[in-house]
Amino acid sequence: MKKGSLLVLTIVICFILLSGKNSERPYQSIIVTKKVEESYQINFLNFQKEVDKLESLTTFERSKDVFLSIKKQVLNTRLAYKEIEFIFDYYQTPYNGTFINGAPLPKISEYFDEGNVIAPSGLQALDEAVYEDYSLENFDHIKVLAKDLKEHVDHVSEIHLPIRLKSSQIIECIRSGLVRVFTLGVTGFDTPGSVNGITESYISFKRMRKTFMTFEAGIYPEARPKFKSIVNLFLEGEELLKSNDNFNEFNRLTFLKHIINPLYAELLEFQNLNNIRLEPYKKHAQNYQAKNLFDIDFLNTDFYSELVYLPLDNDKTIYLGKLLFEDPQLSGNHKMSCLSCHNPKKGFSDGLPKSLSNKEGFTTLRNSPSLLNVGYSTRYFWDMRASNLETQVGHVINNKLEFNTDFDAIIEKLNNDSKYLKLFKDAYAGISEKDINQRSISNAIAAYVNSLKSFNSTFDKYVRNEIEDYPQSAKRGFNLFMGKGACGSCHFAPVFNGSVPPFYLDSESEVLGITQGFDAINPKLDLDLGRIANGIQIDKFSHFKNSFKTVSVRNVALTAPYMHNGSFKTLEDVLEFYNLGGGAGMGLDIDNQTLSKEPLLLSKQEIKDIIAFLKTLTDPTGFVVEKKG
């Protein structure tokens, strides 16, 4: 009897020990999260006090001396914010982007004041305003911004504090914070006036390290070496940021390869070694299991296609979609296919300023953009009129200059083809009464387009440490692209499109003042109204006039000519246009240009270097999809 009891007791103890091994230690979770919560609350209240000081200064009598004091206080306020941003933005993303530290542009928010324009506000707007010349008008503008910021910070503190954290979410905050520092901090996106991004990134880095070090309170023995390695990487990153805070000279490529990517990978490894469960607080496009910002799966296109007919990663639908993509019988005249405007050999563009239409002697209204990596977006077409890849298909089918037909006609044709009948049945049987329908056709083509992912360029392989050789000119070009050239502050890494990091929830468009051909002496504004005329009610606002989607510059060496009107023949033309400050910098009257009109002052060699980098983003291979299953 005693032997039996001992055996049972032994089994129970072993079960408890084994179960505990696969779960997070309770005391660890309590100690770590409590320390971070307390520290965060102290830092948030400190930020709130700095905002109060700023708002108070704007109530003084207007003068240049007060203006200079306000300018200094904006810097202090921003630095205080950088102590909390990586956590605050994770938990309050829409509020942060709209009111606290979003781009200094008018906004249409689905969360706040829906359907109305929200004027530029927050820390970026203040950073921009205090670096403009002193005037009574500018002083009053800053006063309004400071007052609004105080009201928004006071409001959010009531609903945000006290915060309750989980240790897994703390690590996710830090990993997303690394993405933010690299894509928005050292690029200058966050600091449009002061260009103080390196110093601010240092503050963010230091705070993330101190937050991570709280995990030492309850660490598994097997995770201790990784813990030390991560702390050392943070310290190395801090030293790199602190020792070279010159914005134009900071080596972003070294920072990426030796600090950001290793930290991003090791934080996940530490989480696994320390048996911390994956419990993300929010849903976003980052694939939490990725180990490198330039892994092919760093972003998950499924995030952008949640409401599709069938998930877009289905091998059968991808294969079917490829056949439909290449089939001219889908068009009204049986002469056009998707390939007509999206040639794989030309980066899935067509090499023409504007694509040929189905009518002799006519073209479509705009240049054909590349489809490579197009799935990493929340809006589609140059004017952003489609909300997903499925609805994009319908626009092409119904367009009088393109396929000039309708789904009923296409369905009839496909139902008379035994090959398609079988393929649609294999892929879509049981979903709807009829296998071939508008949604299944759109879904198949969308699945194929979504599969066109291009992340194996020379640059990608180099920053993933898969190759050692990389041109010196391209290294200089990457640093210019992400720094002085300000390219990376609109074309965000890693896709280098307008999907906004660190969570990649929204896609941006920009007003650049695109001209009718590149003519720096006698420029004429292109007359295409762009996004404001896309037929979507929430886009019918003046700041979307002449606004066009920020497309990816990956494979840009294959896709000339450039811009929505195809009017720039070479990359040299494109870079010189930006170098001059866009249309406004060339003297055109454009009230709502989002591109700074100030010249970039890039030398001819620097332009060559940026182009050298862009050419290393070329990866046209691997787009043939074979049938599986």
Side-chain angles (χ1 to χ4, degrees):
M1 186 71 178
K2 288 183 178 180
K3 289 184 179 180
S5 299
L6 285 172
L7 179 61
V8 171
L9 181 61
T10 301
I11 292 172
V12 169
I13 291 172
C14 290
F15 177 77
I16 292 171
L17 290 173
L18 288 171
S19 298
K21 191 173 182 180
N22 293 318
S23 63
E24 187 179 350
R25 293 179 178 180
Y27 77 87
Q28 176 200 56
S29 176
I30 294 170
I31 294 172
V32 170
T33 57
K34 186 173 179 59
K35 282 186 175 182
V36 177
E37 288 166 1
E38 290 174 351
S39 174
Y40 177 79
Q41 179 148 332
I42 291 170
N43 288 325
F44 190 98
L45 294 175
N46 181 58
F47 166 61
Q48 194 171 16
K49 287 178 183 177
E50 296 296 331
V51 172
D52 289 345
K53 290 179 187 177
L54 173 62
E55 194 273 337
S56 178
L57 281 172
T58 64
T59 64
F60 292 2
E61 186 175 347
R62 295 175 295 183
S63 70
K64 285 188 178 180
D65 287 341
V66 174
F67 181 80
L68 291 174
S69 296
I70 291 171
K71 186 175 183 178
K72 183 178 180 180
Q73 183 56 32
V74 167
L75 172 62
N76 293 337
T77 305
R78 288 189 58 86
L79 293 179
Y81 176 70
K82 290 299 169 178
E83 297 272 1
I84 66 169
E85 184 179 33
F86 71 103
I87 293 178
F88 179 74
D89 189 36
Y90 179 81
Y91 286 95
Q92 297 289 339
T93 306
Y95 200 86
N96 181 50
T98 306
F99 297 119
I100 306 301
N101 195 38
L105 300 168
K107 301 174 181 68
I108 308 295
S109 173
E110 63 181 292
Y111 302 97
F112 314 105
D113 203 12
E114 186 174 356
N116 295 311
V117 177
I118 301 173
S121 63
L123 292 167
Q124 284 195 44
L126 281 161
D127 184 86
E128 188 172 63
V130 296
Y131 280 85
E132 294 178 359
D133 293 336
Y134 167 76
S135 68
L136 297 181
E137 182 181 9
N138 190 29
F139 191 104
D140 289 340
H141 172 56
I142 292 168
K143 183 174 183 178
V144 172
L145 290 175
K147 181 176 179 292
D148 287 347
L149 179 63
K150 174 176 168 52
E151 290 178 355
H152 291 136
V153 171
D154 288 348
H155 168 72
V156 78
S157 69
E158 294 178 1
I159 60 175
H160 181 57
L161 299 177
I163 193 169
R164 293 291 177 261
L165 304 171
K166 292 185 177 181
S167 52
S168 59
Q169 293 164 8
I170 294 170
I171 293 178
E172 187 167 357
C173 285
I174 296 172
R175 294 184 89 209
S176 296
L178 294 174
V179 177
R180 168 175 279 282
V181 163
F182 181 71
T183 58
L184 303 181
V186 299
T187 62
F189 175 91
D190 265 353
T191 49
S194 65
V195 197
N196 197 38
I198 307 301
T199 299
E200 291 192 359
S201 296
Y202 167 75
I203 298 298
S204 295
F205 233 68
K206 190 175 181 180
R207 175 50 56 188
M208 287 189 285
R209 171 180 57 84
K210 289 183 177 180
T211 300
F212 174 73
M213 288 180 72
T214 59
F215 283 95
E216 193 171 21
I219 195 170
Y220 276 46
E222 56 266 38
R224 190 163 293 280
K226 188 61 63 179
F227 175 85
K228 292 180 179 178
S229 174
I230 290 170
V231 171
N232 287 334
L233 280 169
F234 267 117
L235 290 170
E236 289 175 28
E238 289 170 40
E239 180 60 29
L240 191 61
L241 290 162
K242 189 176 182 179
S243 63
N244 188 2
D245 62 356
N246 184 300
F247 184 81
N248 287 344
E249 294 180 6
F250 184 74
N251 194 322
R252 292 156 178 86
L253 188 58
T254 296
F255 189 52
L256 172 66
K257 276 179 64 71
H258 297 289
I259 305 297
I260 294 293
N261 275 337
L263 267 176
Y264 194 79
E266 291 197 16
L267 281 163
L268 179 61
E269 292 169 14
F270 170 82
Q271 182 168 344
N272 292 332
L273 287 169
N274 217 37
N275 288 314
I276 299 174
R277 293 187 297 270
L278 292 177
E279 297 177 290
Y281 166 78
K282 67 184 298 173
K283 191 168 188 178
H284 53 73
Q286 281 186 49
N287 171 18
Y288 196 68
Q289 298 290 351
K291 294 184 177 181
N292 187 297
L293 269 65
F294 288 87
D295 278 351
I296 193 169
D297 61 350
F298 172 73
L299 294 178
N300 186 356
T301 54
D302 289 346
F303 172 82
Y304 302 106
S305 58
E306 282 189 299
L307 302 180
V308 292
Y309 190 63
L310 195 69
L312 301 184
D313 57 356
N314 184 300
D315 289 332
K316 291 181 178 180
T317 60
I318 292 172
Y319 175 76
L320 172 56
K322 182 176 186 294
L323 296 181
L324 294 170
F325 187 91
E326 298 171 350
D327 194 341
Q329 73 169 313
L330 266 65
S331 63
N333 62 8
H334 287 214
K335 294 181 180 180
M336 292 185 76
S337 70
C338 301
L339 280 176
S340 302
C341 301
H342 300 286
N343 185 341
K345 295 181 180 179
K346 297 180 179 179
F348 285 86
S349 62
D350 60 12
L352 301 172
K354 295 179 181 179
S355 299
L356 297 176
S357 76
N358 57 55
K359 295 182 180 179
E360 188 73 28
F362 287 84
T363 66
T364 59
L365 298 178
R366 297 181 180 126
N367 176 262
S368 176
S370 171
L371 295 182
L372 295 175
N373 303 311
V374 74
Y376 300 98
S377 183
T378 58
R379 302 281 289 272
Y380 301 88
F381 292 112
W382 282 108
D383 60 10
M384 305 182 80
R385 66 186 182 272
S387 59
N388 61 56
L389 287 172
E390 282 187 351
T391 57
Q392 186 181 33
V393 174
H395 285 274
V396 175
I397 286 172
N398 295 316
N399 192 304
K400 294 186 181 300
L401 292 175
E402 297 182 59
F403 280 16
N404 192 29
T405 184
D406 56 47
F407 278 101
D408 289 341
I410 293 174
I411 290 168
E412 183 177 352
K413 295 174 187 177
L414 297 178
N415 274 320
N416 289 321
D417 188 313
S418 59
K419 178 183 69 175
Y420 278 125
L421 282 170
K422 182 179 185 307
L423 289 171
F424 272 93
K425 183 178 181 180
D426 288 346
Y428 297 103
I431 300 178
S432 295
E433 184 179 345
K434 296 181 179 180
D435 300 331
I436 303 178
N437 57 62
Q438 178 174 336
R439 291 296 302 276
S440 61
I441 294 169
S442 299
N443 179 263
I445 297 175
Y448 173 62
V449 172
N450 188 67
S451 75
L452 303 176
K453 299 174 182 178
S454 173
F455 287 91
N456 278 311
S457 67
T458 301
F459 171 79
D460 294 307
K461 293 175 183 177
Y462 178 68
V463 295
R464 293 196 300 252
N465 298 316
E466 296 169 5
I467 59 173
E468 294 184 3
D469 293 332
Y470 189 66
Q472 289 297 321
S473 59
K475 290 179 181 179
R476 296 192 301 268
F478 174 78
N479 284 322
L480 288 162
F481 183 96
M482 298 293 283
K484 179 181 177 180
C487 315
S489 61
C490 290
H491 295 275
F492 303 111
V495 185
F496 297 115
N497 68 354
S499 294
V500 185
F503 305 115
Y504 303 90
L505 303 175
D506 300 300
S507 299
E508 287 192 341
S509 63
E510 302 286 347
V511 179
L512 305 175
I514 302 298
T515 54
Q516 300 175 31
F518 180 64
D519 186 347
I521 299 174
N522 185 31
K524 294 181 180 179
L525 182 67
D526 185 85
L527 300 179
D528 193 331
L529 294 176
R531 187 171 175 179
I532 196 174
N534 65 11
I536 299 176
Q537 188 63 35
I538 62 171
D539 287 348
K540 291 183 178 180
F541 293 98
S542 60
H543 59 279
F544 288 139
K545 182 181 178 183
N546 306 123
S547 186
F548 296 92
K549 182 179 178 179
T550 305
V551 297
S552 174
V553 296
R554 284 180 173 272
N555 296 291
V556 72
L558 304 174
T559 61
Y562 305 103
M563 305 302 190
H564 72 273
N565 57 4
S567 63
F568 292 8
K569 296 180 181 179
T570 66
L571 288 172
E572 286 78 7
D573 286 347
V574 174
L575 266 295
E576 190 56 41
F577 173 79
Y578 284 114
N579 200 26
L580 292 170
M586 294 162 69
L588 296 177
D589 184 15
I590 306 171
D591 293 335
N592 57 333
Q593 181 168 303
T594 53
L595 173 69
S596 173
K597 67 178 181 180
E598 299 302 320
L600 294 171
L601 303 179
L602 294 170
S603 68
K604 290 184 178 179
Q605 182 59 52
E606 287 175 327
I607 288 175
K608 288 181 180 179
D609 288 342
I610 293 175
I611 292 173
F613 158 64
L614 291 173
K615 288 181 177 179
T616 68
L617 291 176
T618 303
D619 170 31
T621 59
F623 302 122
V624 178
V625 180
E626 302 295 340
K627 182 179 179 181
K628 297 180 181 179

